[in-house]
Amino acid sequence: MARYSPGKVRPIIATFQTTSEVLQILKSKNKLRGRNIYIKSDQTPMQRAYLKALLEELEERKKKDESELIVKYINNIPKI
Protein backbone atom coordinates (compact mmCIF):
# COMPACT_ATOMS: atom_id res chain seq x y z
CA MET A 1 0.00 0.00 0.00
CA ALA A 2 1.31 3.44 -0.94
CA ARG A 3 2.08 5.91 1.77
CA TYR A 4 0.42 9.27 2.08
CA SER A 5 2.23 12.11 0.32
CA PRO A 6 1.15 15.68 1.11
CA GLY A 7 0.09 17.63 -1.96
CA LYS A 8 -0.37 14.53 -4.10
CA VAL A 9 -3.70 14.26 -5.92
CA ARG A 10 -5.29 10.88 -5.31
CA PRO A 11 -8.32 9.59 -7.20
CA ILE A 12 -11.32 8.08 -5.50
CA ILE A 13 -13.77 5.55 -6.86
CA ALA A 14 -17.49 6.19 -6.62
CA THR A 15 -20.02 3.47 -7.40
CA PHE A 16 -23.73 3.94 -7.93
CA GLN A 17 -26.68 1.59 -7.91
CA THR A 18 -28.16 2.61 -11.27
CA THR A 19 -26.80 3.62 -14.65
CA SER A 20 -29.09 6.64 -14.71
CA GLU A 21 -27.33 8.08 -11.64
CA VAL A 22 -23.97 7.70 -13.32
CA LEU A 23 -25.17 9.34 -16.53
CA GLN A 24 -26.72 12.24 -14.62
CA ILE A 25 -23.45 12.92 -12.79
CA LEU A 26 -21.34 12.62 -15.95
CA LYS A 27 -23.66 15.02 -17.80
CA SER A 28 -23.41 17.64 -15.05
CA LYS A 29 -19.64 17.34 -14.45
CA ASN A 30 -18.93 20.59 -16.34
CA LYS A 31 -20.67 22.54 -13.58
CA LEU A 32 -17.70 21.75 -11.32
CA ARG A 33 -15.10 23.40 -13.58
CA GLY A 34 -12.68 25.67 -11.77
CA ARG A 35 -13.12 23.95 -8.41
CA ASN A 36 -10.27 21.40 -8.64
CA ILE A 37 -12.79 18.58 -9.00
CA TYR A 38 -12.49 16.34 -12.03
CA ILE A 39 -14.94 13.59 -12.93
CA LYS A 40 -14.04 10.95 -15.49
CA SER A 41 -15.67 7.68 -16.39
CA ASP A 42 -13.71 4.45 -16.36
CA GLN A 43 -12.43 3.46 -19.81
CA THR A 44 -11.19 0.19 -21.24
CA PRO A 45 -7.66 0.08 -22.72
CA MET A 46 -9.20 0.03 -26.23
CA GLN A 47 -11.25 3.16 -25.47
CA ARG A 48 -8.16 4.96 -24.12
CA ALA A 49 -6.14 4.02 -27.22
CA TYR A 50 -8.94 5.22 -29.52
CA LEU A 51 -9.24 8.56 -27.70
CA LYS A 52 -5.45 9.02 -27.73
CA ALA A 53 -5.32 8.41 -31.50
CA LEU A 54 -8.27 10.78 -31.99
CA LEU A 55 -6.55 13.55 -30.00
CA GLU A 56 -3.34 13.07 -32.00
CA GLU A 57 -5.33 13.38 -35.25
CA LEU A 58 -7.01 16.51 -33.90
CA GLU A 59 -3.64 18.13 -33.12
CA GLU A 60 -2.33 17.30 -36.61
CA ARG A 61 -5.43 18.76 -38.25
CA LYS A 62 -5.22 21.90 -36.10
CA LYS A 63 -1.63 22.40 -37.26
CA LYS A 64 -2.97 22.37 -40.85
CA ASP A 65 -5.18 25.43 -40.14
CA GLU A 66 -8.35 23.56 -39.26
CA SER A 67 -8.66 25.51 -36.01
CA GLU A 68 -12.42 25.19 -35.46
CA LEU A 69 -12.30 21.45 -34.70
CA ILE A 70 -13.17 19.87 -31.36
CA VAL A 71 -13.78 16.39 -29.97
CA LYS A 72 -17.50 15.85 -29.51
CA TYR A 73 -19.18 12.81 -28.02
CA ILE A 74 -22.02 11.47 -30.17
CA ASN A 75 -23.86 8.50 -28.60
CA ASN A 76 -20.98 8.23 -26.11
CA ILE A 77 -18.44 7.85 -28.93
CA PRO A 78 -15.83 10.60 -29.35
CA LYS A 79 -15.57 12.07 -32.85
CA ILE A 80 -13.86 15.08 -34.42
Side-chain angles (χ1 to χ4, degrees):
M1 188 166 170
R3 292 189 171 180
Y4 173 74
S5 299
K8 182 179 178 183
V9 177
R10 297 176 60 127
I12 62 169
I13 296 174
T15 56
F16 301 94
Q17 292 182 358
T18 64
T19 304
S20 62
E21 290 176 323
V22 174
L23 293 175
Q24 183 179 9
I25 289 172
L26 289 174
K27 286 179 182 179
S28 62
K29 70 182 182 181
N30 291 335
K31 294 178 183 177
L32 298 172
R33 254 188 212 164
R35 296 185 186 184
N36 286 337
I37 299 173
Y38 305 97
I39 298 175
K40 292 187 176 186
S41 62
D42 195 19
Q43 296 179 333
T44 65
M46 188 187 323
Q47 288 172 322
R48 286 192 297 259
Y50 176 75
L51 185 58
K52 183 178 178 181
L54 194 67
L55 292 173
E56 289 172 358
E57 179 187 344
L58 178 65
E59 286 302 315
E60 288 177 20
R61 289 177 66 178
K62 279 186 175 183
K63 288 179 184 177
K64 296 178 183 175
D65 287 336
E66 294 183 61
S67 61
E68 298 294 321
L69 298 175
I70 61 168
V71 173
K72 187 171 185 175
Y73 284 79
I74 302 171
N75 293 329
N76 292 328
I77 299 172
K79 301 194 187 264
I80 295 179

